[in-house]
Amino acid sequence: MGSLILRSLRMRKVQTASIIASVALSAALILAFGLVYGGVTKGIELSDERGGADIMVVPADAEKYLTGADLLFTGAPVSMYMTEDEVRAVSDIEGVTRVTGQFFSQTLDQSCCSATSPTRLIGVDFTTDFVVTPLLDEGFAGELGANEVVVGSRVDGISQGQISILGKPYNVVSTMAESGGELDESIVMDIDTAREISRNTDGNERYWDMYGDPSELVSCIMVEIDDEQLTRVETKLNLMRELSYVEHSETAERAQAQLKAVFVLLAGSAVLMLVVTLLQIFARFYSCVWDRKSELALYRAIGASKSDIRKLIGGEVCCLVVIGLVVGLALGAVAYESLISLLLDTLAFPFVGLGAPAVAVFCLGIIALFAFVSFLSVVWPLRQVGRLDPSLAMQQGDID
């Protein structure tokens, strides 16, 4: 039976290749779209859940260099500073419940540390922090030593519990839970340690000449606000000309809206290819009993049962779909990696990749979908097999 199935497929090379290509492209588009959409959805959910602060307050000129989305969702390099007096000024605004300052030391890469991708080095004041600490294990002591750091979920380059920063090894105490934001690509240390590193880094003197001693500076202020007072706080911040701010929820919604066109295009392409594939499979096998009746009658005449003929037709469908799915899922994985890299390079948005179990379930769902589509395509041909009269079919040939 297997040899007959393969022979039949080889005899119809163009039809076979076109159906395999259609199945592969459909599966690839569905997989790539599903993984991207799932990762963005998960990123937005985690960003809302674990973002910590309602607003990030930054110096007024910060958004000349980076957008609010870049500040919130990426480890993009940024050098911006303001005095700690601004932390106290923001904390005094009615409606503000908690504030904590952070110091951006610099963005690291392979030229200066063991991390292989751009990684923001952030100094955190753990005496007031409410953003980083909730992402750490319950066993976290609440402070970091001068040679200790915690790292984001997407930070690599860690070896034997240590990471190299500017040629010096630091002990990795903990890894932060995924947040869908800039902390996923950041290394966090005590704020005084980060300030000292920046003070001793060549080329940073111009910042201290401009802003003052780094021991009295912060880069941003993370602010938690009473929900009912958000508008009032924003109004007060707008009056502070030396400051600007990025609202977390609004920025996430704007980033999601930017991706809407991409999602619509991917979803439309996937649905269109799925319909084309269904029509191709249906067209191939709907009339196959009629078009190949002399061939099938010959098999019946030499002893093949109706069940054998059904197995032959079903086997052809299975081979086409299985080969197409194997190729398609492999292409989909490559397309997903390429697409998400392109999107992350051009847009800033919260993203957390789906875990292996979720990806496996999604792939099984795609397989089940194509199995169902294939079944619909061959129901009628399989019913026709039972009505085939071998002697009459051999007399008439393939054309009535």
Side-chain angles (χ1 to χ4, degrees), residues 57-87:
V57 177
V58 295
D61 60 349
E63 292 195 21
K64 293 180 181 179
Y65 311 105
L66 289 177
T67 66
D70 288 324
L71 290 170
L72 284 178
F73 304 131
T74 74
V78 56
S79 297
M80 56 185 190
Y81 302 102
M82 54 188 166
T83 66
E84 285 191 320
D85 292 338
E86 305 296 352
V87 179

PDB file of all heavy atoms in Angstrom, residues 57-87:
ATOM      1  N   VAL A  57       8.736  59.149  35.503  1.00  0.00           N
ATOM      2  CA  VAL A  57       9.081  60.560  35.352  1.00  0.00           C
ATOM      3  C   VAL A  57      10.531  60.667  34.918  1.00  0.00           C
ATOM      4  O   VAL A  57      11.414  60.025  35.505  1.00  0.00           O
ATOM      5  CB  VAL A  57       8.857  61.331  36.666  1.00  0.00           C
ATOM      6  CG1 VAL A  57       9.303  62.789  36.515  1.00  0.00           C
ATOM      7  CG2 VAL A  57       7.388  61.271  37.075  1.00  0.00           C
ATOM      8  N   VAL A  58      10.786  61.454  33.885  1.00  0.00           N
ATOM      9  CA  VAL A  58      12.133  61.588  33.324  1.00  0.00           C
ATOM     10  C   VAL A  58      12.433  63.068  33.107  1.00  0.00           C
ATOM     11  O   VAL A  58      11.522  63.913  33.138  1.00  0.00           O
ATOM     12  CB  VAL A  58      12.235  60.819  31.982  1.00  0.00           C
ATOM     13  CG1 VAL A  58      12.062  59.328  32.206  1.00  0.00           C
ATOM     14  CG2 VAL A  58      11.206  61.328  30.969  1.00  0.00           C
ATOM     15  N   PRO A  59      13.695  63.417  32.859  1.00  0.00           N
ATOM     16  CA  PRO A  59      14.010  64.812  32.524  1.00  0.00           C
ATOM     17  C   PRO A  59      13.256  65.252  31.275  1.00  0.00           C
ATOM     18  O   PRO A  59      12.935  64.448  30.404  1.00  0.00           O
ATOM     19  CB  PRO A  59      15.524  64.774  32.286  1.00  0.00           C
ATOM     20  CG  PRO A  59      16.010  63.604  33.083  1.00  0.00           C
ATOM     21  CD  PRO A  59      14.909  62.593  33.001  1.00  0.00           C
ATOM     22  N   ALA A  60      12.990  66.536  31.166  1.00  0.00           N
ATOM     23  CA  ALA A  60      12.149  67.050  30.088  1.00  0.00           C
ATOM     24  C   ALA A  60      12.703  66.757  28.704  1.00  0.00           C
ATOM     25  O   ALA A  60      11.951  66.603  27.746  1.00  0.00           O
ATOM     26  CB  ALA A  60      11.965  68.556  30.266  1.00  0.00           C
ATOM     27  N   ASP A  61      14.038  66.665  28.588  1.00  0.00           N
ATOM     28  CA  ASP A  61      14.630  66.451  27.271  1.00  0.00           C
ATOM     29  C   ASP A  61      14.834  64.975  26.928  1.00  0.00           C
ATOM     30  O   ASP A  61      15.381  64.650  25.879  1.00  0.00           O
ATOM     31  CB  ASP A  61      15.970  67.185  27.164  1.00  0.00           C
ATOM     32  CG  ASP A  61      16.976  66.702  28.205  1.00  0.00           C
ATOM     33  OD1 ASP A  61      16.571  65.962  29.136  1.00  0.00           O
ATOM     34  OD2 ASP A  61      18.161  67.064  28.105  1.00  0.00           O
ATOM     35  N   ALA A  62      14.361  64.071  27.788  1.00  0.00           N
ATOM     36  CA  ALA A  62      14.635  62.641  27.588  1.00  0.00           C
ATOM     37  C   ALA A  62      14.037  62.108  26.290  1.00  0.00           C
ATOM     38  O   ALA A  62      14.678  61.342  25.564  1.00  0.00           O
ATOM     39  CB  ALA A  62      14.101  61.840  28.775  1.00  0.00           C
ATOM     40  N   GLU A  63      12.813  62.528  25.979  1.00  0.00           N
ATOM     41  CA  GLU A  63      12.141  61.972  24.813  1.00  0.00           C
ATOM     42  C   GLU A  63      12.640  62.582  23.499  1.00  0.00           C
ATOM     43  O   GLU A  63      12.142  62.231  22.430  1.00  0.00           O
ATOM     44  CB  GLU A  63      10.629  62.122  24.944  1.00  0.00           C
ATOM     45  CG  GLU A  63      10.060  61.252  26.054  1.00  0.00           C
ATOM     46  CD  GLU A  63       8.545  61.114  25.957  1.00  0.00           C
ATOM     47  OE1 GLU A  63       7.984  61.337  24.870  1.00  0.00           O
ATOM     48  OE2 GLU A  63       7.936  60.786  26.972  1.00  0.00           O
ATOM     49  N   LYS A  64      13.639  63.469  23.583  1.00  0.00           N
ATOM     50  CA  LYS A  64      14.319  63.907  22.368  1.00  0.00           C
ATOM     51  C   LYS A  64      15.197  62.781  21.823  1.00  0.00           C
ATOM     52  O   LYS A  64      15.521  62.755  20.634  1.00  0.00           O
ATOM     53  CB  LYS A  64      15.189  65.142  22.654  1.00  0.00           C
ATOM     54  CG  LYS A  64      14.412  66.396  23.001  1.00  0.00           C
ATOM     55  CD  LYS A  64      15.373  67.545  23.255  1.00  0.00           C
ATOM     56  CE  LYS A  64      14.611  68.820  23.636  1.00  0.00           C
ATOM     57  NZ  LYS A  64      15.549  69.949  23.923  1.00  0.00           N
ATOM     58  N   TYR A  65      15.603  61.886  22.729  1.00  0.00           N
ATOM     59  CA  TYR A  65      16.528  60.817  22.348  1.00  0.00           C
ATOM     60  C   TYR A  65      15.832  59.461  22.233  1.00  0.00           C
ATOM     61  O   TYR A  65      16.188  58.636  21.398  1.00  0.00           O
ATOM     62  CB  TYR A  65      17.658  60.741  23.384  1.00  0.00           C
ATOM     63  CG  TYR A  65      18.270  62.083  23.683  1.00  0.00           C
ATOM     64  CD1 TYR A  65      17.987  62.752  24.872  1.00  0.00           C
ATOM     65  CD2 TYR A  65      19.114  62.706  22.773  1.00  0.00           C
ATOM     66  CE1 TYR A  65      18.540  63.992  25.163  1.00  0.00           C
ATOM     67  CE2 TYR A  65      19.678  63.947  23.050  1.00  0.00           C
ATOM     68  CZ  TYR A  65      19.383  64.589  24.239  1.00  0.00           C
ATOM     69  OH  TYR A  65      19.929  65.812  24.501  1.00  0.00           O
ATOM     70  N   LEU A  66      14.837  59.223  23.081  1.00  0.00           N
ATOM     71  CA  LEU A  66      14.118  57.955  23.056  1.00  0.00           C
ATOM     72  C   LEU A  66      12.632  58.205  23.244  1.00  0.00           C
ATOM     73  O   LEU A  66      12.233  59.132  23.943  1.00  0.00           O
ATOM     74  CB  LEU A  66      14.613  57.022  24.174  1.00  0.00           C
ATOM     75  CG  LEU A  66      16.006  56.408  24.039  1.00  0.00           C
ATOM     76  CD1 LEU A  66      16.310  55.595  25.291  1.00  0.00           C
ATOM     77  CD2 LEU A  66      16.115  55.533  22.811  1.00  0.00           C
ATOM     78  N   THR A  67      11.812  57.368  22.623  1.00  0.00           N
ATOM     79  CA  THR A  67      10.368  57.468  22.842  1.00  0.00           C
ATOM     80  C   THR A  67      10.008  56.872  24.189  1.00  0.00           C
ATOM     81  O   THR A  67      10.796  56.152  24.811  1.00  0.00           O
ATOM     82  CB  THR A  67       9.605  56.719  21.738  1.00  0.00           C
ATOM     83  OG1 THR A  67       9.879  55.302  21.857  1.00  0.00           O
ATOM     84  CG2 THR A  67      10.023  57.195  20.359  1.00  0.00           C
ATOM     85  N   GLY A  68       8.791  57.155  24.629  1.00  0.00           N
ATOM     86  CA  GLY A  68       8.329  56.570  25.884  1.00  0.00           C
ATOM     87  C   GLY A  68       8.328  55.054  25.837  1.00  0.00           C
ATOM     88  O   GLY A  68       8.652  54.385  26.822  1.00  0.00           O
ATOM     89  N   ALA A  69       7.966  54.495  24.669  1.00  0.00           N
ATOM     90  CA  ALA A  69       7.969  53.039  24.532  1.00  0.00           C
ATOM     91  C   ALA A  69       9.372  52.470  24.646  1.00  0.00           C
ATOM     92  O   ALA A  69       9.584  51.412  25.252  1.00  0.00           O
ATOM     93  CB  ALA A  69       7.346  52.646  23.191  1.00  0.00           C
ATOM     94  N   ASP A  70      10.373  53.164  24.074  1.00  0.00           N
ATOM     95  CA  ASP A  70      11.760  52.711  24.203  1.00  0.00           C
ATOM     96  C   ASP A  70      12.192  52.699  25.664  1.00  0.00           C
ATOM     97  O   ASP A  70      12.884  51.791  26.123  1.00  0.00           O
ATOM     98  CB  ASP A  70      12.697  53.630  23.407  1.00  0.00           C
ATOM     99  CG  ASP A  70      12.560  53.430  21.911  1.00  0.00           C
ATOM    100  OD1 ASP A  70      12.350  52.292  21.493  1.00  0.00           O
ATOM    101  OD2 ASP A  70      12.654  54.428  21.173  1.00  0.00           O
ATOM    102  N   LEU A  71      11.791  53.736  26.399  1.00  0.00           N
ATOM    103  CA  LEU A  71      12.168  53.818  27.810  1.00  0.00           C
ATOM    104  C   LEU A  71      11.533  52.698  28.626  1.00  0.00           C
ATOM    105  O   LEU A  71      12.168  52.121  29.511  1.00  0.00           O
ATOM    106  CB  LEU A  71      11.751  55.183  28.377  1.00  0.00           C
ATOM    107  CG  LEU A  71      12.528  56.409  27.869  1.00  0.00           C
ATOM    108  CD1 LEU A  71      11.848  57.671  28.316  1.00  0.00           C
ATOM    109  CD2 LEU A  71      13.966  56.351  28.368  1.00  0.00           C
ATOM    110  N   LEU A  72      10.274  52.389  28.335  1.00  0.00           N
ATOM    111  CA  LEU A  72       9.545  51.415  29.144  1.00  0.00           C
ATOM    112  C   LEU A  72       9.812  49.968  28.754  1.00  0.00           C
ATOM    113  O   LEU A  72       9.817  49.084  29.600  1.00  0.00           O
ATOM    114  CB  LEU A  72       8.041  51.687  29.048  1.00  0.00           C
ATOM    115  CG  LEU A  72       7.487  52.867  29.827  1.00  0.00           C
ATOM    116  CD1 LEU A  72       5.998  53.012  29.568  1.00  0.00           C
ATOM    117  CD2 LEU A  72       7.741  52.713  31.322  1.00  0.00           C
ATOM    118  N   PHE A  73      10.011  49.701  27.458  1.00  0.00           N
ATOM    119  CA  PHE A  73       9.988  48.320  26.994  1.00  0.00           C
ATOM    120  C   PHE A  73      11.294  47.797  26.419  1.00  0.00           C
ATOM    121  O   PHE A  73      11.358  46.643  25.998  1.00  0.00           O
ATOM    122  CB  PHE A  73       8.887  48.161  25.929  1.00  0.00           C
ATOM    123  CG  PHE A  73       7.529  48.590  26.398  1.00  0.00           C
ATOM    124  CD1 PHE A  73       6.746  49.436  25.640  1.00  0.00           C
ATOM    125  CD2 PHE A  73       7.030  48.148  27.620  1.00  0.00           C
ATOM    126  CE1 PHE A  73       5.502  49.832  26.067  1.00  0.00           C
ATOM    127  CE2 PHE A  73       5.785  48.547  28.067  1.00  0.00           C
ATOM    128  CZ  PHE A  73       5.012  49.390  27.286  1.00  0.00           C
ATOM    129  N   THR A  74      12.351  48.627  26.354  1.00  0.00           N
ATOM    130  CA  THR A  74      13.611  48.147  25.785  1.00  0.00           C
ATOM    131  C   THR A  74      14.779  48.528  26.687  1.00  0.00           C
ATOM    132  O   THR A  74      14.650  49.340  27.600  1.00  0.00           O
ATOM    133  CB  THR A  74      13.863  48.741  24.383  1.00  0.00           C
ATOM    134  OG1 THR A  74      14.256  50.116  24.514  1.00  0.00           O
ATOM    135  CG2 THR A  74      12.615  48.649  23.515  1.00  0.00           C
ATOM    136  N   GLY A  75      15.926  47.950  26.382  1.00  0.00           N
ATOM    137  CA  GLY A  75      17.163  48.300  27.078  1.00  0.00           C
ATOM    138  C   GLY A  75      17.988  49.277  26.267  1.00  0.00           C
ATOM    139  O   GLY A  75      19.217  49.298  26.364  1.00  0.00           O
ATOM    140  N   ALA A  76      17.322  50.084  25.438  1.00  0.00           N
ATOM    141  CA  ALA A  76      18.016  51.027  24.559  1.00  0.00           C
ATOM    142  C   ALA A  76      18.888  51.985  25.366  1.00  0.00           C
ATOM    143  O   ALA A  76      18.523  52.387  26.471  1.00  0.00           O
ATOM    144  CB  ALA A  76      16.991  51.817  23.741  1.00  0.00           C
ATOM    145  N   PRO A  77      20.052  52.345  24.817  1.00  0.00           N
ATOM    146  CA  PRO A  77      20.965  53.225  25.558  1.00  0.00           C
ATOM    147  C   PRO A  77      20.370  54.600  25.810  1.00  0.00           C
ATOM    148  O   PRO A  77      19.749  55.194  24.926  1.00  0.00           O
ATOM    149  CB  PRO A  77      22.199  53.305  24.645  1.00  0.00           C
ATOM    150  CG  PRO A  77      21.738  52.866  23.309  1.00  0.00           C
ATOM    151  CD  PRO A  77      20.601  51.946  23.515  1.00  0.00           C
ATOM    152  N   VAL A  78      20.539  55.090  26.999  1.00  0.00           N
ATOM    153  CA  VAL A  78      20.036  56.415  27.344  1.00  0.00           C
ATOM    154  C   VAL A  78      20.870  56.981  28.484  1.00  0.00           C
ATOM    155  O   VAL A  78      21.182  56.296  29.441  1.00  0.00           O
ATOM    156  CB  VAL A  78      18.540  56.351  27.745  1.00  0.00           C
ATOM    157  CG1 VAL A  78      18.317  55.382  28.889  1.00  0.00           C
ATOM    158  CG2 VAL A  78      18.006  57.724  28.093  1.00  0.00           C
ATOM    159  N   SER A  79      21.275  58.243  28.324  1.00  0.00           N
ATOM    160  CA  SER A  79      22.009  58.951  29.385  1.00  0.00           C
ATOM    161  C   SER A  79      21.215  60.199  29.733  1.00  0.00           C
ATOM    162  O   SER A  79      21.251  61.201  29.003  1.00  0.00           O
ATOM    163  CB  SER A  79      23.421  59.322  28.911  1.00  0.00           C
ATOM    164  OG  SER A  79      24.172  58.167  28.622  1.00  0.00           O
ATOM    165  N   MET A  80      20.466  60.125  30.827  1.00  0.00           N
ATOM    166  CA  MET A  80      19.634  61.260  31.247  1.00  0.00           C
ATOM    167  C   MET A  80      19.690  61.338  32.772  1.00  0.00           C
ATOM    168  O   MET A  80      19.634  60.312  33.455  1.00  0.00           O
ATOM    169  CB  MET A  80      18.191  61.082  30.756  1.00  0.00           C
ATOM    170  CG  MET A  80      17.527  59.783  31.198  1.00  0.00           C
ATOM    171  SD  MET A  80      15.888  59.589  30.473  1.00  0.00           S
ATOM    172  CE  MET A  80      15.277  58.172  31.419  1.00  0.00           C
ATOM    173  N   TYR A  81      19.786  62.533  33.276  1.00  0.00           N
ATOM    174  CA  TYR A  81      19.974  62.691  34.720  1.00  0.00           C
ATOM    175  C   TYR A  81      19.259  63.937  35.235  1.00  0.00           C
ATOM    176  O   TYR A  81      19.057  64.911  34.506  1.00  0.00           O
ATOM    177  CB  TYR A  81      21.467  62.781  35.059  1.00  0.00           C
ATOM    178  CG  TYR A  81      22.243  61.569  34.605  1.00  0.00           C
ATOM    179  CD1 TYR A  81      23.019  61.613  33.448  1.00  0.00           C
ATOM    180  CD2 TYR A  81      22.167  60.368  35.305  1.00  0.00           C
ATOM    181  CE1 TYR A  81      23.714  60.501  33.010  1.00  0.00           C
ATOM    182  CE2 TYR A  81      22.853  59.242  34.877  1.00  0.00           C
ATOM    183  CZ  TYR A  81      23.623  59.313  33.726  1.00  0.00           C
ATOM    184  OH  TYR A  81      24.296  58.198  33.286  1.00  0.00           O
ATOM    185  N   MET A  82      18.880  63.857  36.508  1.00  0.00           N
ATOM    186  CA  MET A  82      18.291  64.988  37.227  1.00  0.00           C
ATOM    187  C   MET A  82      18.646  64.807  38.698  1.00  0.00           C
ATOM    188  O   MET A  82      19.041  63.718  39.124  1.00  0.00           O
ATOM    189  CB  MET A  82      16.778  65.032  37.017  1.00  0.00           C
ATOM    190  CG  MET A  82      16.060  63.734  37.356  1.00  0.00           C
ATOM    191  SD  MET A  82      14.323  63.772  36.863  1.00  0.00           S
ATOM    192  CE  MET A  82      13.888  62.034  36.974  1.00  0.00           C
ATOM    193  N   THR A  83      18.485  65.839  39.467  1.00  0.00           N
ATOM    194  CA  THR A  83      18.896  65.765  40.868  1.00  0.00           C
ATOM    195  C   THR A  83      17.843  65.025  41.710  1.00  0.00           C
ATOM    196  O   THR A  83      16.669  64.920  41.323  1.00  0.00           O
ATOM    197  CB  THR A  83      19.097  67.164  41.454  1.00  0.00           C
ATOM    198  OG1 THR A  83      17.838  67.838  41.500  1.00  0.00           O
ATOM    199  CG2 THR A  83      20.075  67.969  40.602  1.00  0.00           C
ATOM    200  N   GLU A  84      18.277  64.546  42.851  1.00  0.00           N
ATOM    201  CA  GLU A  84      17.366  63.853  43.756  1.00  0.00           C
ATOM    202  C   GLU A  84      16.293  64.782  44.331  1.00  0.00           C
ATOM    203  O   GLU A  84      15.290  64.301  44.867  1.00  0.00           O
ATOM    204  CB  GLU A  84      18.157  63.209  44.902  1.00  0.00           C
ATOM    205  CG  GLU A  84      18.910  61.966  44.485  1.00  0.00           C
ATOM    206  CD  GLU A  84      19.462  61.213  45.672  1.00  0.00           C
ATOM    207  OE1 GLU A  84      19.953  61.887  46.619  1.00  0.00           O
ATOM    208  OE2 GLU A  84      19.392  59.975  45.676  1.00  0.00           O
ATOM    209  N   ASP A  85      16.497  66.084  44.196  1.00  0.00           N
ATOM    210  CA  ASP A  85      15.470  67.026  44.645  1.00  0.00           C
ATOM    211  C   ASP A  85      14.159  66.793  43.905  1.00  0.00           C
ATOM    212  O   ASP A  85      13.069  67.008  44.454  1.00  0.00           O
ATOM    213  CB  ASP A  85      15.936  68.476  44.424  1.00  0.00           C
ATOM    214  CG  ASP A  85      17.096  68.856  45.329  1.00  0.00           C
ATOM    215  OD1 ASP A  85      17.259  68.185  46.385  1.00  0.00           O
ATOM    216  OD2 ASP A  85      17.840  69.798  44.992  1.00  0.00           O
ATOM    217  N   GLU A  86      14.258  66.338  42.650  1.00  0.00           N
ATOM    218  CA  GLU A  86      13.057  66.090  41.865  1.00  0.00           C
ATOM    219  C   GLU A  86      12.263  64.909  42.431  1.00  0.00           C
ATOM    220  O   GLU A  86      11.034  64.877  42.341  1.00  0.00           O
ATOM    221  CB  GLU A  86      13.425  65.822  40.397  1.00  0.00           C
ATOM    222  CG  GLU A  86      14.269  66.900  39.737  1.00  0.00           C
ATOM    223  CD  GLU A  86      13.562  68.238  39.637  1.00  0.00           C
ATOM    224  OE1 GLU A  86      12.357  68.304  39.949  1.00  0.00           O
ATOM    225  OE2 GLU A  86      14.211  69.226  39.249  1.00  0.00           O
ATOM    226  N   VAL A  87      12.967  63.945  43.010  1.00  0.00           N
ATOM    227  CA  VAL A  87      12.276  62.811  43.639  1.00  0.00           C
ATOM    228  C   VAL A  87      11.404  63.305  44.774  1.00  0.00           C
ATOM    229  O   VAL A  87      10.230  62.911  44.908  1.00  0.00           O
ATOM    230  CB  VAL A  87      13.293  61.771  44.154  1.00  0.00           C
ATOM    231  CG1 VAL A  87      12.566  60.609  44.830  1.00  0.00           C
ATOM    232  CG2 VAL A  87      14.182  61.269  43.029  1.00  0.00           C
TER     233      VAL A  87
END
